[in-house]
Each structure stands twice: as structure tokens, then as C-alpha cells.
């Protein structure tokens, strides 16, 4: 079985975001990059499926700058067998559609039986790429899974997914794509042996030409949605400090919320 | 030329979702300015009765597709039917709610009709070039981005629940219902729904709640959330949690607020025993009014709270509940 995990490198969630004066991108100096937290669940789940069946190959697919090699190495250290890195200036500034197009092409070239993505990348918070890869490959896509069981004949899977106010249990024909939500598993830490071994594992680099496409198919030229500008949210000032007896505070607060703020 | 503003009318258990009416209200406002028509797309089985309500909230037309296969939401048939409709009618704008179904359906439809999509938007306008320009949070609200879709049509966006004001329903406004025959009968569908297990908690869902009361590590144990639940019932609020509370096993993960949980913007957010780590703030900083109860005067949550209550939550919350009870009944 070829198990694909799509992984993206994103700024550490503790990062204070700063934006360049032109409002075109975030300032990356001093920013630490990590594997998108939801993508770690995808990697972990692929590893568990391989372990359970005692066969298969786990392949991480990542589109990102040269720097993303570090995130890829982490996945290899977790136990991923090999990686595909879409790394070329022509991929930069792709919208989710151009990203999904590139990833879908790379996955098609690599071959696949199962594709796992994170539910969203916590940088752009797009929440789109998984569904779009599934659409472009013409396979079922099931978002927000918290449980996945592959049948013994590997032809179907049962997945539990979160919907508003309920959990939906679905049966899915494979190959299919799933997006992973917190609760699916706990991602492992790379072991020392894993870290050492990762250095020897293969990372295959893809350019647009390797995907049989013109550079203009991706990046800004290949995108349908365009960024106009980036900005910071209005800063929020701390407000009224209330100390003292709970009774007094409560009286004052309830009155204020009901009469002044009118939020109750 | 592409014309008309469309919305997707999501529904559950025979009722339109609130977010569908919110985006319909917004579509109406945009359409009135641009002199365009508003249409709603309604899919399901036995849902014709909902069309009228869509009219009251501003739909001029309702495209109604009914079929057994469409009974429950499933992305493959739903995206096909909608993409077919779009290709036939060429709307200029197509809006969906950024709830769970909308965020699944929109990217799939967009990829199918090859158009640009902006997800989870919080404001919309028609810019100087006559394009739909949307503003949306990125990095969990630590930054915002403005996005347009210059060429492809329709210009698609999903819109965050609870940010667009509802129009007052106008019962004189009737929608023309256009019945369409969905081409789904011989579709190969890869996903079958086996079971839908309802939450038994009976709690209000975070996405649609006007008020959210969240507890963090300061709650000290699962059982203590009862005091938040009591207040929540009173205020018709949802109960959220910090990751520390979720990771301690006190609350289900689906109630986690923050960068890797749910991003919420209720009218009122009450944080109890939550320090205010950057990842938590990312999920709730756009709330209209924030109340924080924390015994540590230095807690970072106080930097963004409108009301900073320095004190022991176990003393403050019960008294606050009592006070609300008196005021709300009186
Ligand atoms: C990749 C990543 C993603 C993350 N995503 C999220 C996320 O989505 N959401 C999230 O919330 N966190 C997230 N975190 C975790 C985040 O960094 C914090 O660890 C977490 O928010 C802390 O939760 P807390 O405020 O409940 O706990 P603490 O930081 O331990 O704070 C507890 C607070 O309770 C107060 N307190 C204690 N007892 C009382 C009392 N009796 N009365 C009043 N106050 C009291 C204390 O003064 C303290 O301020 C993430 C972290 C990482 C690394
Ligand atoms: N550049 C990328 N490289 C690899 N995977 C990606 C990339 N962008 C998005 N993905 C995958 O798609 C998921 C959703 O991303 P997004 O739609 O950007 O929120 C992520 O969690 C990843 O699994």
C-alpha cells in the first residue's frame, strides 16, 4: 500500500506575526518553522496503518521552500519511508487551487492508495487543499476524521468524522483522501535512531517540469484567488480591572454587560 | 457575463442553519447595492418547505434540487449538482457558510468549476474594480488578508458564522422556486453514511453561540465544569475549553478554542482559569466582549479582556451566576 501524507511547514504557533511594510508577506526572520500540527496526525496515522498491516510505504509530500527540508526530515525521523519535495520558485505564492493542483500531480506521479492531509494548515488556515486534491484526483474526500479503520482487503475504510453536534460514521471506497482532526491519534516523537536514519532516506525533488507542467501553471500565475494585502488586526486594549468581593464585582459586571455592552 | 449573487442554503434536521440566513442577508445587501439578483441553492429530500423562508430573508430565486441521494449532505453528489448549476447559470458570486459542510463543499465545487475561493471570511465588499473583495483572518487571527478573484467566476467565499447581521425577515418577499432535476442517479459515490451519532451533551455548539464560557487548567477537574454549565444554560451559552483542559481529559476536544481548536467570535466570551497563551488568544480574540476571571494579576488574558476579574473563579462564578439569575428573571 502506498500511504501518502501531505505535510506543510508553518510558523510555530507561538510566533508573533509581523508583516513587511509593503503588506505582501510576513517577516520570516527569527521565525521558527514546524510541521503543521494537523499534518503530524496524518503522518502518525499512515505509520500506524503500515505497522498494523506489516506492509506498505509511507511517503510524505510537501510543497515549500528549501527550508521545508527540515520539516520533511522530521517526518522521515518519525518513520516516514521517503519524501517528495515540490521545491521551485515557480510554486511560491500559489493559492490553494494551484497548491492542490501541484500536490495532486505529484501524488499521481508517485502512486497512491490512501492520502491523508491535515484538516488545515495553521498559516493560511485555508482548509481547502485536502478537498481540492480529492476533487482533482476524482476520489472520495472525507474531512475531519477522528478515527480510521482500513478493511482487511484494503478496499474500503470506516471513518468517524466530526460534524456539528454529532459524529458521522462513514464507509468509504479506497483510494480516498481523509483530512485529520485532533483526536485521531497522538503523534510520536522521533527517536534518536529515527533521527539518524532520516539522513539516509530519499527526498525526491520536483519542479513544474517534473510534473509535466509549465511553471506558469503554479505560483501566482496559476492561482485563481489573489492576495491584495496583508494586515495586522486592530490591537485590543485591556479594559477594566475588577478586584474586590465577588458580590460587588458580579453586580457591576452583570449591569455593565446587560445595559452598556448589551451582549446579554 | 456572469450575473447574480448565490448562496448555498445549508440545513439540518429540517431547519435552515443560522449561517445560511446570515449569508443570505449579506448577499441581499450586496445585491441591492449592485442591482443584482439573489438566488439560494437548496439541496436535499423533502426540503421544499424551506424555500419560502429563504425568500423572506432576501432570495429572489431558489434553485431546488430534491432527490433521495441528496437526503443527507455528502460532498460528491452535492458538489456535482451545484457545479452543474453554476455552469448552466454563471453566477457572479457564490457564498457559503464557513461551517463544517460549507468548508468541505466550497473547495470541492471551486476546484470543479475552476474558480478561486476565499475561506472563512469576516467582511466582504465590492471594490472599486467591481470585484468581490473579502477580508479573512490568517494565522488564526494574528493577521488578516484581503483577497479577490480577478478573472474566474463565480467569485467564491465561505463566511464565518456569527459575523454577518441577520436581516429582519420580510414575509412579503417571495422567492421564485425553480425545480431542477439533479443528475445524480448513476453517479458512483464513494462515501456511504453508516450512522450519525448525536452528541448527548445537549450543549449549544460553539460556532453558533452568542456567548461562550470557557474553562482552562484553573478549573482543576472535569467535575468542576458543572459550574460553567449552570451559567451556560442560564445564558444559552456554549462551554469551551483551553487545550490544557482538553489535554487533561476534562472536556472533549471538539470544544477546544484556539489556534489548533475552534476559532470563535461570540458577542461575549468568558474565560475562567485560562492564562491566555498566544494559541488560545488566536481562537477568541475577535470576540466582541471578553471577560476574564483569573487569580493571577499578571495573566496575559488580562491584556485583551474588557473586564479583568482578579479572583478565584470558584468564588466568582457561582456569585456571578446568581446575579445573572436575578437580573434575567427580574
Ligand atoms: C502547537 C500548539 C498548539 C496549541 N493550540 C492551542 C489551542 O488551540 N488552544 C489552547 O487553548 N491552547 C493551545 N496550545 C497550548 C497553549 O500554549 C497553552 O498551553 C494553553 O492554552 C494553556 O491553557 P490554560 O490557560 O488553561 O492553562 P495554564 O496556562 O496553566 O493557565 C491556567 C490559569 O488558571 C489560573 N487559575 C488557576 N486556578 C484558578 C482559580 N481557582 N481561579 C482563577 N484562576 C485560576 C492560573 O492563574 C492560570 O493563569 C497550543 C500549544 C501548542 C504548542
Ligand atoms: N504546501 C503544501 N505542501 C504539502 N501539503 C500541503 C500544502 N498545503 C496544504 N497541504 C495539505 O493540505 C492541508 C490543508 O491545507 P490548507 O488548505 O492550506 O489549510 C494541510 O494540512 C496539508 O496536509
Amino acid at each position: 500500500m502506498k500511504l501518502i501524507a501531505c505535510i506543510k511547514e508553518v510558523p510555530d504557533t507561538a510566533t508573533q506575526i509581523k508583516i513587511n511594510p509593503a503588506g505582501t508577506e510576513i517577516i520570516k526572520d527569527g521565525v521558527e518553522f514546524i510541521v503543521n500540527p494537523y499534518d503530524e496526525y496524518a503522518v502518525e496515522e499512515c505509520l500506524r496503518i503500515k505497522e498494523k498491516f506489516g506492509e506498505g510505504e509511507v511517503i510524505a509530500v510537501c510543497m515549500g521552500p528549501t527550508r521545508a527540508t527540515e520539516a520533511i526530515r522530521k517526518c522521515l525521523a518519525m518513520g516516514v519511508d521517503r519524501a517528495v519535495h515540490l521545491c521551485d520558485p515557480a510554486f511560491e505564492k500559489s493559492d490553494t487551487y494551484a497548491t492542490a493542483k501541484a500536490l495532486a500531480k505529484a501524488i499521481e506521479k508517485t502512486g497512491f492508495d490512501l492520502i491523508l492531509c491535515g484538516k488545515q494548515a495553521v498559516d493560511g488556515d485555508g482548509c481547502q487543499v485536502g478537498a481540492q486534491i480529492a476533487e482533482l484526483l476524482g476520489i472520495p474526500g472525507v474531512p475531519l476524521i477522528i478515527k480510521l479503520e482500513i478493511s482487511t482487503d484494503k478496499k474500503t475504510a470506516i471513518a468517524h468524522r466530526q460534524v456539528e453536534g454529532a459524529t458521522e460514521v462513514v464507509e468509504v471506497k479506497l483510494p480516498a483522501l481523509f483530512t485529520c482532526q485532533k483526536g485521531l491519534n497522538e503523534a510520536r516523537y522521533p527517536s534518536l535512531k529515527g533521527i539518524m536514519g532520516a539522513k539516509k532516506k530519499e527526498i525526491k525533488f520536483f519542479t513544474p517540469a517534473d510534473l509535466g507542467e509549465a511553471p506558469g501553471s503554479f505560483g501566482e500565475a496559476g492561482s485563481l484567488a489573489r492576495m491584495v494585502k496583508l494586515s495586522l488586526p486592530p490591537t485590543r486594549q485591556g479594559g477594566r480591572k475588577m478586584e474586590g468581593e465577588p458580590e460587588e464585582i458580579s453586580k457591576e459586571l452583570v449591569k455593565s454587560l446587560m445595559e452598556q455592552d448589551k451582549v446579554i | 457575463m456572469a450575473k447574480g449573487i448565490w448562496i448555498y442554503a445549508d440545513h439540518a434536521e429540517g431547519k435552515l442553519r443560522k449561517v445560511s440566513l446570515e449569508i443570505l442577508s449579506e448577499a441581499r445587501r450586496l445585491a441591492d447595492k449592485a442591482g443584482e439578483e439573489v438566488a439560494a441553492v437548496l439541496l436535499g429530500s423533502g426540503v421544499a418547505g424551506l424555500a419560502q423562508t429563504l425568500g423572506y430573508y432576501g432570495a429572489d430565486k431558489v434553485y431546488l434540487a430534491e432527490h433521495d441521494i441528496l437526503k443527507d449532505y455528502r460532498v460528491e453528489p452535492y458538489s456535482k449538482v451545484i457545479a452543474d448549476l453554476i455552469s448552466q447559470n454563471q453566477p457572479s458570486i457564490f457564498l457559503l457558510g464557513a461551517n463544517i459542510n460549507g468548508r468541505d463543499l466550497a473547495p470541492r465545487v471551486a476546484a470543479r468549476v475552476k474558480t478561486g475561493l476565499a475561506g472563512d471570511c469576516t467582511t466582504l465588499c465590492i471594490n472599486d474594480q467591481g470585484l468581490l473583495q473579502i477580508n479573512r483572518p490568517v494565522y488564526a487571527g494574528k493577521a488578516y488578508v484581503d483577497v479577490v478573484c480577478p478573472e474566474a467566476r463565480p467569485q467564491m467565499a465561505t463566511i464565518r458564522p456569527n459575523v454577518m447581521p441577520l436581516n429582519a425577515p420580510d414575509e412579503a418577499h417571495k422567492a421564485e422556486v425553480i425545480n431542477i432535476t439533479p443528475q445524480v442517479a448513476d453517479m458512483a459515490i464513494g462515501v456511504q453514511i453508516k450512522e450519525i451519532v448525536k452528541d448527548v451533551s445537549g450543549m449549544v455548539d460553539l460556532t453558533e453561540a452568542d456567548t461562550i464560557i470557557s474553562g482552562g487548567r484553573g478549573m482543576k477537574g472535569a467535575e468542576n465544569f458543572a459550574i460553567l454549565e449552570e451559567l451556560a444554560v442560564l445564558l444559552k451559552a456554549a462551554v469551551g475549553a483551553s487545550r490544557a483542559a482538553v489535554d487533561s481529559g476534562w472536556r472533549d476536544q471538539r470544544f477546544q478554542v484556539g489556534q489548533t481548536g475552534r476559532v470563535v467570535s461570540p458577542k461575549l466570551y468568558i474565560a475562567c482559569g485560562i492564562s491566555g497563551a498566544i494559541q488560545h488568544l488566536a481562537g477568541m480574540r475577535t470576540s466582541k466582549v471578553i471577560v476574564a476571571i483569573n487569580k493571577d494579576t499578571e495573566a496575559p488574558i488580562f491584556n485583551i479582556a474588557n473586564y479583568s476579574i482578579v479572583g478565584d473563579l470558584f468564588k466568582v462564578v457561582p456569585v456571578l451566576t446568581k446575579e445573572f439569575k436575578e437580573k434575567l428573571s427580574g
Side-chain angles (χ1 to χ4, degrees):
Chain A
M1 254 204 299
K2 271 187 174 161
L3 306 159
I4 307 280
C6 292
I7 67 124
K8 190 179 188 190
E9 58 130 35
V10 296
D12 189 300
T13 56
T15 308
Q16 221 29 287
I17 298 294
K18 297 194 194 93
I19 291 169
N20 69 349
T24 51
E25 57 187 3
I26 66 160
I27 296 173
K28 301 194 182 79
D29 288 347
V31 172
E32 247 192 76
F33 285 84
I34 58 168
V35 178
N36 180 40
Y38 293 108
D39 301 351
E40 289 194 353
Y41 302 132
V43 168
E44 177 66 34
E45 198 63 21
C46 286
L47 295 174
R48 289 188 189 190
I49 294 168
K50 178 183 164 182
E51 283 159 6
K52 186 174 162 206
F53 284 98
E55 64 102 4
E57 190 184 21
V58 179
I59 306 157
V61 178
C62 175
M63 179 172 118
T66 317
R67 186 188 57 228
T69 310
E70 257 185 72
I72 294 174
R73 289 272 174 227
K74 181 180 177 192
C75 299
L76 294 172
M78 285 170 75
V80 166
D81 297 297
R82 64 187 175 95
V84 168
H85 188 176
L86 289 76
C87 186
D88 192 276
F91 292 124
E92 278 168 29
K93 296 195 189 287
S94 290
D95 71 349
T96 55
Y97 177 73
T99 303
K101 200 163 61 173
L103 292 171
K105 289 260 174 214
I107 292 168
E108 213 167 16
K109 240 185 140 55
T110 307
F112 62 95
D113 295 294
L114 189 71
I115 305 168
L116 294 188
C117 287
K119 83 154 177 160
Q120 80 193 66
V122 303
D123 50 2
D125 291 327
C127 233
Q128 299 176 13
V129 169
Q132 299 202 318
I133 293 173
E135 175 64 33
L136 294 170
L137 293 174
I139 57 173
V142 180
L144 303 174
I145 61 162
I146 48 170
K147 190 172 173 187
L148 183 62
E149 271 169 37
I150 311 291
S151 66
T152 38
D153 65 4
K154 299 171 195 155
K155 291 205 171 93
T156 58
I158 300 277
H160 292 222
R161 62 178 288 253
Q162 285 186 342
V163 295
E164 275 112 353
T167 303
E168 203 177 85
V169 184
V170 293
E171 185 175 43
V172 190
K173 279 199 200 103
L174 300 183
L177 182 146
F178 299 86
T179 80
C180 304
Q181 163 73 310
K182 188 179 175 191
L184 179 64
N185 56 43
E186 287 286 340
R188 69 193 64 186
Y189 292 102
S191 65
L192 196 59
K193 191 163 150 257
I195 295 169
M196 299 309 290
K199 298 196 177 111
K200 289 185 240 88
K201 289 179 176 169
E202 179 200 43
I203 303 179
K204 197 182 237 163
F205 290 92
F206 277 160
T207 63
D210 296 323
L211 302 176
E213 294 278 328
S217 304
F218 308 107
E220 225 170 350
S223 295
L224 300 162
R226 286 280 148 77
M227 183 175 94
V228 180
K229 65 171 192 295
L230 260 175
S231 54
L232 290 176
T235 46
R236 219 182 152 115
Q237 298 294 324
R240 205 173 344 152
K241 206 150 231 175
M242 306 171 96
E243 272 172 280
E245 286 308 308
E247 285 75 13
E248 275 163 53
I249 295 176
S250 296
K251 272 211 164 55
E252 205 184 317
L253 178 66
V254 170
K255 192 165 175 327
S256 217
L257 291 175
M258 291 177 75
E259 290 167 18
Q260 199 184 314
D261 302 310
K262 300 194 165 61
V263 287
I264 289 290
Chain B
M1 207 187 79
K3 243 181 125 41
I5 302 179
W6 283 20
I7 67 115
Y8 167 66
D10 194 32
H11 53 85
E13 294 172 17
K15 277 200 354 224
L16 289 163
R17 292 217 190 254
K18 189 166 146 238
V19 69
S20 306
L21 301 176
E22 291 167 3
I23 57 174
L24 184 50
S25 300
E26 182 67 12
R28 187 71 259 167
R29 285 187 286 271
L30 290 175
D32 286 345
K33 271 191 223 147
E36 296 233 25
E37 212 175 52
V38 174
V41 180
L42 179 61
L43 275 58
S45 168
V47 292
L50 301 175
Q52 215 171 20
T53 311
L54 293 167
Y56 298 163
Y57 280 88
D60 300 308
K61 279 185 187 155
V62 174
Y63 291 99
L64 174 66
E66 293 206 279
H67 199 286
D68 283 348
I69 290 176
L70 302 176
K71 183 173 165 290
D72 290 307
Y73 167 83
R74 282 184 296 168
V75 74
E76 293 165 286
Y78 269 57
S79 56
K80 170 165 196 303
V81 172
I82 295 173
D84 287 351
L85 261 175
I86 288 175
S87 307
Q88 286 151 19
N89 297 281
Q90 307 280 325
S92 160
I93 292 175
F94 182 35
L95 308 176
L96 301 89
N99 59 333
I100 289 174
N101 288 349
R103 294 205 85 173
D104 180 37
L105 183 58
R108 195 118 188 179
V109 170
R112 199 172 254 256
V113 302
K114 287 207 174 45
T115 194
L117 166 66
D120 202 25
C121 307
T122 49
T123 54
L124 314 176
C125 70
I126 304 294
N127 71 10
D128 300 343
Q129 285 104 50
L131 295 174
L132 176 73
Q133 181 160 331
I134 70 85
N135 185 253
R136 60 180 297 263
V138 286
Y139 302 95
K142 289 187 264 186
Y144 279 77
V145 64
D146 275 58
V147 178
V148 293
C149 175
E151 278 126 32
R153 291 292 175 273
Q155 306 163 79
M156 280 182 63
T158 63
I159 302 185
R160 179 175 290 190
N162 256 347
V163 299
M164 299 297 168
L166 274 182
N167 283 348
D170 171 8
E171 300 204 354
H173 193 273
K174 300 243 168 3
E176 175 198 354
V177 178
I178 301 161
N179 285 290
I180 54 163
T181 314
Q183 305 299 319
V184 285
D186 45 12
M187 229 188 130
I189 298 170
V191 179
Q192 302 301 334
I193 300 173
K194 291 267 151 206
E195 202 185 345
I196 296 177
V197 188
K198 288 228 176 66
D199 262 357
V200 281
S201 73
M203 296 303 292
V204 179
D205 189 75
L206 287 179
T207 328
E208 294 198 345
D210 283 334
T211 302
I212 295 175
I213 307 167
S214 285
R217 201 189 318 268
M219 295 304 298
K220 304 224 160 57
E223 66 286 358
N224 297 329
F225 273 80
I227 60 171
L228 304 191
E229 276 163 10
E230 190 189 345
L231 180 56
V233 170
L234 192 65
L235 301 181
K236 297 193 180 58
V239 175
S242 73
R243 172 158 144 184
V246 170
D247 286 354
S248 304
W250 303 340
R251 299 303 279 183
D252 191 272
Q253 163 272 320
R254 70 175 71 206
F255 300 113
Q256 179 179 318
V257 172
Q259 183 151 19
T260 52
R262 305 275 285 277
V263 177
V264 297
S265 44
K267 290 199 186 109
L268 174 61
Y269 189 90
I270 308 181
C272 306
I274 292 177
S275 61
I278 188 166
Q279 295 96 344
H280 188 81
L281 301 188
M284 44 65 79
R285 64 184 310 145
T286 56
S287 307
K288 191 162 166 238
V289 174
I290 297 170
V291 175
I293 309 172
N294 197 304
K295 60 183 182 187
D296 173 11
T297 32
E298 300 299 316
I301 188 100
F302 287 151
N303 297 333
I304 66 155
N306 302 73
Y307 299 95
S308 300
I309 302 180
V310 186
D312 182 347
L313 74 93
F314 294 105
K315 296 212 179 92
V316 177
V317 175
V319 178
L320 188 59
T321 306
K322 192 163 150 265
E323 182 65 24
F324 267 122
K325 219 177 252 166
E326 278 168 20
K327 274 277 159 37
L328 289 171
S329 64

